[in-house]
Amino acid sequence: ETGVTQSPTHLIKTRGQQVTLRCSSQSGHNTVSWYQQALGQGPQFIFQYYREEENGRGNFPPRFSGLQFPYYSSELNVNALELDDSALYLCASSLDRAWNRSDTQYFGPGTRLTVL
Amino acid sequence: DAKTTQPTSMDCAEGRAANLPCNHSTISGNEYVYWYRQIHSQGPQYIIHGLKNNETNEMASLIITEDRKSSTLILPHATLRDTAVYYCIVRGTSRAAGNKLTFGGGTRVLVKP
């Protein structure tokens, strides 16, 4: 158990719709990162939030956006869903945004999104 | 982030040690080596990480060569529950790299009875 939870577990949407995925970080962790994992591939970094501000972004379009709230909750929003957005979405929390020392990320169980 | 190279798959016998190799020949001096594993359809699970010295915890041991160009994750007594995809990740420590993890394809480990 990592103390990181995500909801919902599974979700089915249709192309063009919008979706919000939620994450509850481990207590005391100020940083949350989101990853997308397509079937058969490793997770790909979407973006990271530190104390409610975006702190780095991977190669994902602006229709992927996020929010981080006080007390360790955050969400990932995806607008104008496409078929290729079908994937496992993972959030990971870590203590800090430290880029110059080790700071372990702990992952949640993920949300499986299917876009039809 | 430095690129890592791992075998696509490997089998090991239950109760025996499993040695998972990883090459990271372009690693720079202050980059950490992290290992995660992912059991089918679950979130990645942190195993261990290291910088220069060998590390051991309750799950595994990490052996890093002196030149830091390769490492080996050792599961001392593999069980059926260790069947998973194992990812070796070199985490950059530049401000540009931030704190992201760059996953490759990993090694699919099958523990057999």
Side-chain angles (χ1 to χ4, degrees):
Chain A
E1 286 294 328
T2 64
V4 181
T5 60
Q6 293 186 243
S7 63
T9 306
H10 296 87
L11 198 55
I12 299 175
K13 291 285 189 179
T14 57
R15 194 170 50 181
Q17 285 189 311
Q18 179 265 342
V19 69
T20 297
L21 310 180
R22 293 180 173 81
C23 173
S24 178
S25 301
Q26 195 175 121
S27 180
H29 283 187
N30 294 309
T31 300
V32 64
S33 304
W34 287 90
Y35 293 80
Q36 179 197 67
Q37 186 174 24
L39 202 61
Q41 299 181 20
Q44 300 296 309
F45 176 75
I46 302 175
F47 45 54
Q48 181 181 90
Y49 279 77
Y50 172 71
R51 293 187 174 177
E52 303 171 35
E53 291 190 4
E54 190 176 295
N55 184 45
R57 190 178 185 93
N59 190 26
F60 281 82
R63 59 189 185 85
F64 286 79
S65 62
L67 288 171
Q68 186 183 24
F69 306 101
Y71 304 109
Y72 315 120
S73 69
S74 57
E75 62 184 41
L76 164 67
N77 298 289
V78 187
N79 294 322
L81 284 167
E82 301 176 359
L83 297 179
D84 286 348
D85 295 333
S86 294
L88 181 67
Y89 288 85
L90 298 156
C91 78
S93 75
S94 56
L95 187 61
D96 207 339
R97 63 177 172 178
W99 50 268
N100 57 350
R101 58 180 173 81
S102 67
D103 187 24
T104 301
Q105 295 186 28
Y106 296 94
F107 284 81
T111 294
R112 173 74 60 187
L113 173 66
T114 302
V115 181
L116 302 176
Chain B
D1 298 349
K3 183 177 171 58
T4 62
T5 303
Q6 299 178 252
T8 304
S9 64
M10 62 183 294
D11 295 344
C12 59
E14 186 180 20
R16 304 295 292 270
N19 297 311
L20 281 62
C22 179
N23 286 322
H24 30 79
S25 58
T26 61
I27 193 170
S28 63
N30 56 357
E31 290 182 316
Y32 288 85
V33 179
Y34 277 79
W35 283 82
Y36 283 80
R37 72 180 183 185
Q38 189 171 27
I39 297 169
H40 183 62
S41 294
Q42 297 181 20
Q45 178 188 23
Y46 166 75
I47 301 173
I48 200 168
H49 75 277
L51 182 63
K52 297 179 182 177
N53 299 322
N54 298 338
E55 303 287 346
T56 296
N57 63 19
E58 65 279 3
M59 288 185 67
S61 295
L62 173 60
I63 309 298
I64 303 175
T65 58
E66 191 169 342
D67 63 8
R68 304 210 326 121
K69 293 184 177 182
S70 65
S71 60
T72 301
L73 178 75
I74 301 173
L75 307 177
H77 304 287
T79 71
L80 299 180
R81 289 181 295 179
D82 291 324
T83 292
V85 178
Y86 287 76
Y87 295 99
C88 169
I89 300 164
V90 171
R91 206 213 82 189
T93 52
S94 67
R95 187 178 292 277
N99 194 18
K100 70 178 182 182
L101 297 173
T102 302
F103 288 80
T107 296
R108 190 170 298 274
V109 173
L110 176 62
V111 180
K112 295 182 174 179

